[in-house]
Amino acid sequence: MREIQKTKEEWQKELTGQQCFVLFEKGTERPFSHPYNDNKEEGTYVCAACGTPLFSSDTKYESGSGWPSFFSPIASGNVEEITDRSHGMTRTEVVCRTCGGHLGHVFNDGPKPTGLRYCMNGAALKFEKAE
């Protein structure tokens, strides 16, 4: 049971079509299409649907994948990892623990210290600039 539960219609009133597609239809934006991929400002990336803090700019790095990438979430309890066997492969999906929104996938080809690459859709995130 998620902390925040809304109908598809409720989410559509609050989010853009692209955000709804990515977050609640498990869609993926085109690589290199979101401004967060190149964002170098300091701050926090939160869930675009519910505002849960997900990633710090301190853990963001340039992966070359075309999507914002991080080597660690802010808190492991803020994201949930789920086995994804869609598209004829096995991957690890990352969702917001609070609302269940699809964020992207995590892979084992990231930098130290974790060796992980949290490859996130920019449409699933909102950036809160540090003050």
Side-chain angles (χ1 to χ4, degrees):
M1 196 75 158
R2 300 283 176 201
E3 230 176 278
I4 296 177
Q5 294 185 11
K6 296 182 182 184
T7 66
K8 182 178 179 179
E9 292 74 23
E10 289 173 313
W11 285 123
Q12 287 173 333
K13 288 178 184 174
E14 297 177 22
L15 302 170
T16 68
Q18 177 75 354
Q19 288 172 319
C20 283
F21 170 69
V22 168
L23 285 158
F24 298 107
E25 295 178 34
K26 298 181 186 256
T28 301
E29 65 201 13
R30 288 184 344 268
F32 303 101
S33 66
H34 201 280
Y36 290 163
N37 185 53
D38 297 320
N39 185 22
K40 307 282 191 257
E41 294 185 277
E42 291 184 19
T44 302
Y45 293 85
V46 302
C47 177
C50 70
T52 296
L54 300 170
F55 299 95
S56 168
S57 60
D58 293 340
T59 65
K60 186 174 187 286
Y61 71 99
E62 179 52 54
S63 69
S65 68
W67 290 278
S69 298
F70 307 85
F71 60 78
S72 167
I74 283 180
S76 60
N78 292 8
V79 298
E80 183 178 347
E81 297 180 8
I82 301 168
T83 300
D84 174 4
R85 291 191 173 88
S86 65
H87 306 291
M89 62 183 109
T90 301
R91 302 178 289 174
T92 303
E93 178 186 11
V94 180
V95 300
C96 174
R97 188 174 298 277
T98 305
C99 69
H102 169 78
L103 304 171
H105 291 85
V106 61
F107 302 95
N108 292 320
D109 60 1
K112 292 180 180 181
T114 65
L116 299 174
R117 173 173 52 102
Y118 284 83
C119 187
M120 303 292 101
N121 287 285
L125 306 171
K126 281 187 183 173
F127 182 70
E128 295 180 349
K129 190 174 178 176
E131 294 183 20

